[in-house]
Amino acid sequence: MILCSEGYRKFYNTLLVESISCEDLYNLIPSAVEHIAGELNIGKFEMRVEFSGNGSDRDKENAFSVLYENPDGFELYAHTRSLRTPNKDRANFALFPVKGVTWNDDEKAAIDLVIRNIHSFLQKASLNDLLNMRQMTDYLTSLPNTVYFTKFCNDLNIRGVLKGYTVIFSNLKSFNYINQQLGSRVGDMVLKEYSHKLRAFYGNDELIARFGGDNFVALLKNENVEKYLDYISLVNISVASGNQTRTLGISARSGICPVAASTGNITDTIGFANSTLEYLKRNSDSDHMYFNESILKKVQKDRDIISYFRTALARKEFLVYYQPKVCMNTKRISGCEALVRWEHEGSIISPGDFVPVLENEGLICDLDFYVLERVCENIKCWVDDGIIPAKVSVNFSKLHLRNGNLVEDIMQVITKYKVNPSHLEIELTESASSDAYKALEKFVDDMRARRICTSIDDFGTGYSSLSLLKDLHVNVIKIDKSFIDDITVPGSRDRIILASILTMITGLGMDVIAEGCETPEQAAILRELNCNNIQGYLFDKPLSYEEYTRKLAEGHVYDVNIE
Ligand code: C2E
Ligand code: CA
Ligand code: CA
């Protein structure tokens, strides 16, 4: 009885391997069959697998193999079976008896048992393959995912060829816009179609994977990098939207790191390419950039800021400085702007070094509320000490406009410190998109209803325009420094433009303040143009709480001759 035989046990145990792949199993079958060939008078054992071609890299030809052949020859009539595996491959078996033997029914039943055993092991292995493939494939685009990408790189590393490759970490330029304006369904179609085009681009020993969202990472041979960059600089994608088909030109931005320029470790190389992309997005308008050490240092510094931020907040390392705004008629303080500084390990870090980083990470909102709390605390101290506080403006990042509870959150802080809302002003910059503009408009109106002033910061730069201001009921417009830098130059166009802007703003019933005024000449011209509130180094740099409190308490009069 075959089931009890030593040979059968050996055959079975050879194939009994946990989580084996089909490919590994095919390699084991010949040695397993060896154990039972003699006992069952097997002269020849053939197997042909017809691959369905569904798999990621399995569009191979049909695999045909002779698993066993007796050197003394075999009869030419075959016992055959054809069975399917779960991934729709088909395994065809053909067994021939040794020369001079005809199998009886019992022997045929035993042979069928062997075939069914092999088949069930194949089923298990192909399920493993399917499972592995799912784990290594991106569900939306069918491109390989991070898991497969890493495995692929490791395989190249084992073959000792990885150093000839470059990692390109790319992010689509206008994808957020597409998602917002055309909807996520169109966004998904774009990603699918884009991936399809990328798939056609890479060669046999290369790979492009989707790393989530609109991030794509390519591992290409060094000599193909430029061609790829050129290709992804503009990829035309056709998408159906409603009853029309539109073509979208998709371009990407990329951070590039050759494996040879990195530590040689693939995880580091991917990280460096990603850091280069991060750096590129913040500091450059170009579409791609190669990794270098200084990028790494800057990115590392930014990461330190991000990871240390919460501790710094808890340790109260952020200080609020106050820069006076001066009334030109009285030469006294008419208000001030709260500007944050970071006191870290004995030195003062200016906001230009950390505000953009925190803004990028969405952490700035916590800092703004921290500043608002300190400001309210300080206002309360001034009032308690009998000092009349001048209105303090607090910078709020436009990221706050996503917060549906913003007004309530601000009111909660003000109420906590029992601050009179008229002592506060919120400074915001304008936004590009119409949604953000609507949110800003609503915020301004809600603040006005609660007697809190709002101002538009950096006016004259970025997106600000007079036509937008017509519907925005802010109290104050802050003219940006860049606008007044050249007003003293004879015949300067800025001066003519500024004059008309000031007339329009005051005509619309808003107050105006110029910031970044450094010379008495600039102040004189501003005054001539009816801009009576000025903030700038001409009067004071941002001052510590103590210094500012002193000037506020003494009713400081600035001794600046601007006549
Ligand atoms: P900002 O809101 O435009 O602030 C004005 C900046 O111009 C301040 O720089 C101020 O010190 C500087 N400044 C004022 N007068 C003059 C001048 O006469 N000449 C020159 N060259 N500069 C002048 P600071 O304090 O370094 O702040 C830089 C930026 O950081 C601010 O620009 C603001 O965008 C941001 N920031 C500062 N504090 C906060 C905050 O609490 N929250 C948020 N979200 N952003 C903040
Ligand atoms: Ca400001
Ligand atoms: Ca400003």
Side-chain angles (χ1 to χ4, degrees):
M1 181 62 193
I2 182 173
L3 278 177
C4 309
S5 81
E6 176 70 12
Y8 179 75
R9 221 159 1 97
K10 282 187 178 159
F11 156 80
Y12 197 87
N13 286 337
T14 306
L15 300 179
L16 190 65
V17 182
E18 277 300 308
S19 312
I20 193 169
S21 69
C22 280
E23 202 161 337
D24 289 344
L25 185 71
Y26 293 143
N27 293 333
L28 280 184
I29 295 173
S31 55
V33 170
E34 288 261 344
H35 293 300
I36 35 101
E39 193 176 334
L40 291 177
N41 286 325
I42 296 171
K44 189 178 179 189
F45 194 148
E46 282 177 7
M47 185 173 86
R48 188 205 323 271
V49 181
E50 293 169 29
F51 291 115
S52 62
N54 285 342
S56 65
D57 61 346
R58 309 187 60 226
D59 306 333
K60 305 169 197 163
E61 288 165 24
N62 294 345
F64 174 78
S65 51
V66 176
L67 302 178
Y68 173 80
E69 191 171 331
N70 188 317
D72 298 332
F74 52 88
E75 290 294 337
L76 286 179
Y77 70 89
H79 181 77
T80 58
R81 281 280 177 271
S82 177
L83 302 163
R84 271 206 186 284
T85 61
N87 59 2
K88 307 233 166 41
D89 291 348
R90 179 176 282 281
N92 301 304
F93 300 91
L95 282 88
F96 304 81
V98 286
K99 256 222 144 17
V101 169
T102 310
W103 285 319
N104 62 27
D105 285 349
D106 280 351
E107 284 168 328
K108 279 185 188 162
I111 282 162
D112 269 343
L113 176 69
V114 166
I115 291 173
R116 276 201 306 276
N117 282 160
I118 293 177
H119 179 240
S120 74
F121 281 118
L122 271 176
Q123 279 187 311
K124 254 177 66 184
S126 71
L127 274 177
N128 285 336
D129 281 358
L130 279 178
L131 213 68
N132 283 337
M133 201 145 65
R134 277 186 81 101
Q135 281 165 356
M136 294 197 208
T137 308
D138 173 58
Y139 73 98
L140 178 70
T141 63
S142 300
L143 275 185
N145 62 12
T146 36
V147 179
Y148 188 76
F149 190 86
T150 314
K151 177 184 168 330
F152 184 84
C153 294
N154 288 337
D155 290 349
L156 289 178
N157 198 22
I158 291 165
R159 281 165 51 196
V161 294
L162 192 60
K163 280 227 148 69
Y165 283 78
T166 293
V167 171
I168 303 139
F169 203 117
S170 309
N171 181 254
L172 305 190
K173 250 187 190 170
S174 43
F175 189 68
N176 280 348
Y177 173 82
I178 292 171
N179 250 348
Q180 277 170 15
Q181 299 294 315
L182 306 176
S184 57
R185 202 183 61 85
V186 173
D188 283 356
M189 283 194 307
V190 167
L191 289 177
K192 276 190 197 170
E193 181 63 21
Y194 187 77
S195 302
H196 184 72
K197 294 206 165 178
L198 291 188
R199 189 181 264 279
F201 186 91
Y202 60 84
N204 249 348
D205 277 345
E206 297 176 322
L207 198 74
I208 301 176
R210 179 178 177 223
F211 272 40
D214 57 341
N215 296 312
F216 294 89
V217 181
L219 182 81
L220 301 180
K221 291 178 181 152
N222 293 343
E223 61 270 24
N224 293 333
V225 172
E226 289 300 322
K227 203 168 75 187
Y228 178 66
L229 292 174
D230 193 40
Y231 181 72
I232 59 170
S233 67
L234 184 66
V235 178
N236 284 321
I237 304 285
S238 298
V239 284
S241 166
N243 47 11
Q244 46 168 232
T245 300
R246 61 164 89 197
T247 303
L248 303 168
I250 305 287
S251 35
R253 312 187 81 186
S254 309
I256 308 155
C257 185
V259 177
S262 146
T263 56
N265 172 302
I266 194 61
T267 313
D268 286 347
T269 314
I270 298 169
F272 292 167
N274 188 9
S275 300
T276 307
L277 177 59
E278 263 178 54
Y279 180 87
L280 170 80
K281 280 186 186 168
R282 273 186 215 146
N283 302 290
S284 165
D285 286 335
S286 64
D287 278 354
H288 59 261
M289 188 178 270
Y290 277 83
F291 165 77
N292 65 52
E293 285 292 328
S294 69
I295 290 178
L296 188 64
K297 279 198 192 116
K298 168 81 176 94
V299 170
Q300 194 49 52
K301 218 175 105 197
D302 290 357
R303 291 203 178 135
D304 289 347
I305 290 172
I306 294 158
S307 63
Y308 187 68
F309 171 67
R310 299 228 171 267
T311 313
L313 258 193
R315 290 188 182 166
K316 302 205 162 162
E317 290 186 8
F318 292 100
L319 306 175
V320 180
Y321 275 49
Y322 294 94
Q323 186 178 32
K325 297 171 180 174
V326 179
C327 167
M328 285 300 95
N329 296 328
T330 60
K331 308 272 175 39
R332 288 176 195 268
I333 294 173
S334 60
C336 67
E337 177 175 6
L339 292 157
V340 71
R341 267 92 186 98
W342 185 354
E343 189 183 33
H344 184 56
E345 292 173 354
S347 53
I348 299 276
I349 309 172
S350 73
D353 290 336
F354 59 87
V355 165
V357 181
L358 297 178
E359 194 137 41
N360 221 19
E361 289 298 308
L363 294 169
I364 190 69
C365 299
D366 290 348
L367 181 63
D368 288 345
F369 268 101
Y370 177 87
V371 170
L372 179 66
E373 284 230 31
R374 300 288 77 76
V375 166
C376 288
E377 207 170 56
N378 290 167
I379 292 176
K380 188 173 181 309
C381 287
W382 292 323
V383 172
D384 289 350
D385 292 347
I387 302 168
I388 301 168
K391 197 189 288 288
V392 186
S393 62
V394 181
N395 289 284
F396 261 56
S397 160
K398 54 183 170 235
L399 291 186
H400 287 283
L401 295 174
R402 295 184 198 156
N403 171 5
N405 253 355
L406 178 59
V407 176
E408 288 73 22
D409 290 348
I410 291 176
M411 291 315 293
Q412 203 184 354
V413 178
I414 296 178
T415 316
K416 178 174 164 193
Y417 292 91
K418 301 190 179 67
V419 164
N420 183 336
S422 67
H423 291 325
L424 279 171
E425 178 176 303
I426 304 289
E427 280 190 23
L428 291 135
T429 51
E430 272 194 74
S431 305
S433 80
S434 60
D435 280 359
Y437 179 74
K438 278 191 197 119
L440 177 61
E441 213 179 345
K442 182 170 182 323
F443 173 72
V444 165
D445 290 344
D446 289 349
M447 286 280 99
R448 184 176 277 271
R450 288 164 177 81
R451 293 188 301 120
I452 299 179
C453 288
T454 49
S455 59
I456 291 294
D457 202 358
D458 302 340
F459 188 84
T461 63
Y463 312 110
S464 50
S465 88
L466 282 174
S467 62
L468 286 180
L469 287 181
K470 146 171 100 57
D471 302 316
L472 204 59
H473 302 126
V474 287
N475 304 84
V476 184
I477 299 293
K478 288 192 90 174
I479 306 284
D480 189 65
K481 179 176 181 301
S482 61
F483 237 94
I484 64 162
D485 278 346
D486 290 333
I487 49 168
T488 54
V489 177
S492 132
R493 288 171 66 87
D494 280 355
R495 185 168 167 173
I496 301 163
I497 297 169
L498 188 61
S500 16
I501 286 177
L502 289 173
T503 311
M504 286 175 85
I505 293 172
T506 37
L508 287 164
M510 294 181 261
D511 287 337
V512 72
I513 177 164
E515 66 177 331
C517 176
E518 294 178 344
T519 66
E521 292 75 22
Q522 287 173 327
I525 291 172
L526 284 166
R527 195 166 183 205
E528 213 178 285
L529 298 174
N530 283 329
C531 177
N532 274 328
N533 269 308
I534 299 181
Q535 175 185 349
Y537 291 176
L538 171 64
F539 303 105
D540 261 320
K541 290 196 168 178
L543 307 171
S544 68
Y545 169 74
E546 291 74 19
E547 272 182 292
Y548 177 72
T549 304
R550 195 173 46 74
K551 287 199 168 169
L552 190 65
E554 72 182 25
H556 187 78
V557 179
Y558 286 92
D559 181 19
V560 180
N561 183 12
I562 58 162
E563 305 311 328

